[in-house]
Amino acid sequence: MIGARRRPPIGVVRQITRAPSPMVAYLVPWLSVAVGSLLPDLPVIAPAPVMPPLGFLMLLGWRQLRPGLLPVWAGLPLGLVDDLFSGQPFGSAILLWSVTMLALDVIEARFPWRNFVIEWAVAAVMIAAYVALTGGIALVAGSHAPIMLLVPQAIAAIVLYPVVARVIAWLDRKRLRPFRVFG
Amino acid sequence: MAPPVNRRTGYSRRAQFGTFIGYVAGVAGAVVGGWFLVSAVSNQTSYSWLRSAAGDVTAPVGAAASGLRGGMATAAETVAGYATWGTENARLKREVAFARIHAAEDAGIRAENLRLKALLGLATQNPKPVANAWLIASTATSLRRFATISAGRAEGVQSGMPVRTAQGLIGRVLEVGTVSARVLLLTDTESVVPVRRAVDGTPAFATGRGDGTLQIRLLTLGLNPLHRGDAFLASGSGGIYWPGTPIAVVTALTHDGAVAQVLADPADSEAVTVQPAWDPVEDATLPPPTPTVPPPPAAKPRSKIKKAGKPGLITTLIGKVTGTGTPPAAPAPAPAHHP
């Protein structure tokens, strides 16, 4: 973290000998979404789709808490990572996450002033649609499982969303942590 | 309340182009995703190399998590055990008393079984395992049921090999990476296993239902002969799964079969064994074909059931059993017993 620190992130005043690392500040959102994609697969070898789509929740959270930090096209690389681990047919998350980013942009332009309840409601609609569409894609790709199996997962994801938003707020503070600068 | 983002780019050409290209890239992402999706749905094996590579990269993380998972399960059981140890202890003592008697009976049956098998020239059906591995991850969010194991091409794992735990079958290898492999679990709706009822050999198919249970579909229509508690084993017909591998126990009846619980729950079996795919044609456990009349290639027996129906073979078998007890002509050497 000693190399590239010529330009501190926007809105951060550089103090003498200490400044946030631009690399950390910009990488944390991307990495946290990618880790979110990987994380639900690890804690239990699940007999049914029970874990909430944490990667998608992280993407929603970053987009709503810090609009503009993740670009509109972030769905392509982040969805690609999610597709590698999710078990869905390849391209499922790339498509749905890209559309999500565009949709959130439209919603933001339409309702510029929002409180967290509105954010949560928007996220709930997004999560429900996303989970239903992943189920639909899995059915098209050859699964015959009843789509009702996904209802507990969707409810868990909606309930979990404020917690994820809190974690993202914490990460957002930590990503601007000042590091020591030489010279 | 989050302030609205300043969406105006002003007079800066650079900023205007930047925003515009961002939106173009966003739409392009959706289009590219759709294109990937169509090609992945039309050909299920496409992009498997990407998934395998990703599995290889994250295998160490999964292996670490696998140890943690086992530790957490043990800790929870230890705590829960304090609440129930009294009744549990009494019940276990009763069970041990019965089990000792049964163990003595079983020893007798096992000896008799060995003797009869030796008489028939049948070898034991325990294949030499290809690899032992850990279950390191599973697709916990998707309707599809895949798991990742910590063994791949480097250990000799190939696509199609059955994967089992000590309790029974959990699935078969679908995609192979260098140090990891993706397993199609029994509970996936794409998984179909030919099974037979343990007591009488009633043939059926076990298909996954996606929620941790299996649907047992009987091959014969008519009166449903199944009961709750019936155990099903792999029948081995069609190859791949070794005959006799425990699969599931019936928990509820349906009009054309039953719903069964998988015996080897992947959630509490961390260590798995990858077996070679069973090939009934080259199986050393079957009696050799009659040497004088070479069977035409089209009528080559694919399964034990078909084979037993051939009169020539039955007479051969009976001849061997009722004969002088000499070992049969050319059975392959019995593989070593691997429990």
Side-chain angles (χ1 to χ4, degrees):
Chain A
M1 297 304 122
I2 297 167
R5 55 184 68 261
R6 289 179 301 280
R7 193 160 54 97
I10 305 137
V12 174
V13 180
R14 176 172 162 174
Q15 297 167 335
I16 295 172
T17 75
R18 277 179 190 273
S21 154
M23 201 163 69
V24 173
Y26 286 116
L27 266 185
V28 163
W30 295 87
L31 280 183
S32 61
V33 176
V35 168
S37 294
L38 184 57
L39 218 51
D41 291 2
L42 296 180
V44 65
I45 303 295
V50 287
M51 301 295 274
L54 201 58
F56 184 72
L57 296 187
M58 297 290 261
L59 181 83
L60 281 181
W62 277 111
R63 179 65 187 74
Q64 290 193 328
L65 188 76
R66 283 273 169 270
L69 187 60
L70 288 176
V72 188
W73 46 267
L76 174 62
L78 291 173
L80 194 146
V81 172
D82 189 73
D83 275 334
L84 293 178
F85 301 107
S86 70
Q88 289 284 113
F90 194 75
S92 160
I94 299 179
L95 172 65
L96 295 178
W97 291 22
S98 294
V99 172
T100 303
M101 291 301 275
L102 290 169
L104 284 176
D105 206 75
V106 171
I107 290 169
E108 191 185 70
R110 203 55 204 262
F111 306 99
W113 293 94
R114 309 172 300 275
N115 58 13
F116 185 73
V117 175
I118 297 176
E119 302 271 45
W120 193 3
V122 169
V125 172
M126 289 283 176
I127 291 165
Y130 172 73
V131 170
L133 284 172
T134 53
I137 288 171
L139 291 185
V140 171
S143 176
H144 311 290
I147 204 159
M148 284 296 144
L149 279 180
L150 292 174
V151 171
Q153 180 192 348
I155 292 172
I158 291 169
V159 172
L160 200 67
Y161 184 71
V163 181
V164 174
R166 277 281 165 163
V167 171
I168 288 168
W170 179 79
L171 283 174
D172 193 38
R173 287 201 305 280
K174 291 296 164 195
R175 85 193 170 93
L176 295 178
R177 187 192 151 199
F179 291 94
R180 188 167 196 133
V181 185
F182 296 99
Chain B
M1 195 176 276
V5 170
N6 184 11
R7 307 173 73 87
R8 293 180 181 271
T9 48
Y11 291 108
S12 162
R13 278 277 162 194
R14 192 162 169 265
Q16 286 170 5
F17 272 126
T19 310
F20 177 68
I21 286 171
Y23 281 110
V24 169
V27 175
V31 172
V32 167
W35 183 71
F36 277 142
L37 188 56
V38 169
S39 61
V41 167
S42 57
N43 180 9
Q44 302 270 346
T45 53
S46 50
Y47 310 113
S48 65
W49 60 276
L50 260 177
R51 278 190 294 265
S52 303
D56 286 349
V57 170
T58 52
V61 183
S66 144
L68 205 67
R69 207 155 52 213
M72 282 195 309
T74 320
E77 277 166 18
T78 309
V79 173
Y82 277 103
T84 53
W85 70 271
T87 47
E88 187 78 359
N89 202 357
R91 190 178 63 78
L92 287 176
K93 273 182 180 156
R94 272 200 309 279
E95 274 192 17
V96 164
F98 279 110
R100 277 186 185 154
I101 299 165
H102 283 306
E105 285 174 3
D106 286 351
I109 292 168
R110 209 174 300 128
E112 187 187 8
N113 199 6
L114 270 180
R115 192 171 53 78
L116 291 174
K117 270 186 175 171
L119 208 61
L120 281 167
L122 293 177
T124 48
Q125 291 198 343
N126 282 306
K128 193 173 177 345
V130 172
N132 292 311
W134 299 104
L135 278 172
I136 55 180
S138 75
T139 56
T141 56
S142 172
L143 270 187
R144 302 299 308 274
R145 308 256 42 86
F146 300 109
T148 313
I149 58 170
S150 65
R153 204 172 291 114
E155 282 86 1
V157 176
Q158 285 169 13
S159 182
M161 288 179 166
V163 181
R164 65 165 295 173
T165 69
Q167 284 98 22
L169 192 70
I170 66 157
R172 71 183 160 92
V173 175
L174 202 65
E175 294 165 359
V176 190
T178 311
V179 293
S180 71
R182 186 168 259 225
V183 176
L184 180 75
L185 294 177
L186 282 186
T187 51
D188 188 88
T189 49
E190 290 277 275
S191 159
V192 179
V193 184
V195 293
R196 61 178 164 82
R197 185 153 65 165
V199 285
D200 60 356
T202 307
F205 282 116
T207 318
R209 284 159 46 93
D211 60 350
T213 57
L214 301 179
Q215 176 74 43
I216 304 280
R217 287 178 211 285
L218 294 168
L219 291 190
T220 48
L221 296 174
L223 204 63
N224 189 346
L226 302 181
H227 304 286
R228 287 186 59 188
D230 281 353
F232 276 85
L233 313 173
S235 67
S237 50
I240 296 187
Y241 304 108
W242 285 78
T245 315
I247 304 283
V249 169
V250 170
T251 52
L253 297 181
T254 59
H255 66 280
D256 63 341
V259 174
Q261 188 71 40
V262 183
L263 278 169
D265 185 4
D268 53 41
S269 39
E270 295 291 321
V272 295
T273 300
V274 184
Q275 297 177 318
W278 190 59
D279 188 352
V281 179
E282 296 169 8
D283 184 20
T285 61
L286 291 176
T290 328
T292 48
V293 189
K300 218 170 189 181
R302 291 288 306 171
S303 74
K304 237 175 165 179
I305 300 165
K306 277 185 194 164
K307 195 154 197 170
K310 293 192 181 248
L313 281 164
I314 286 183
T315 44
T316 320
L317 270 176
I318 291 169
K320 269 176 198 158
V321 174
T322 52
T324 52
T326 48
H337 184 77
H338 289 276

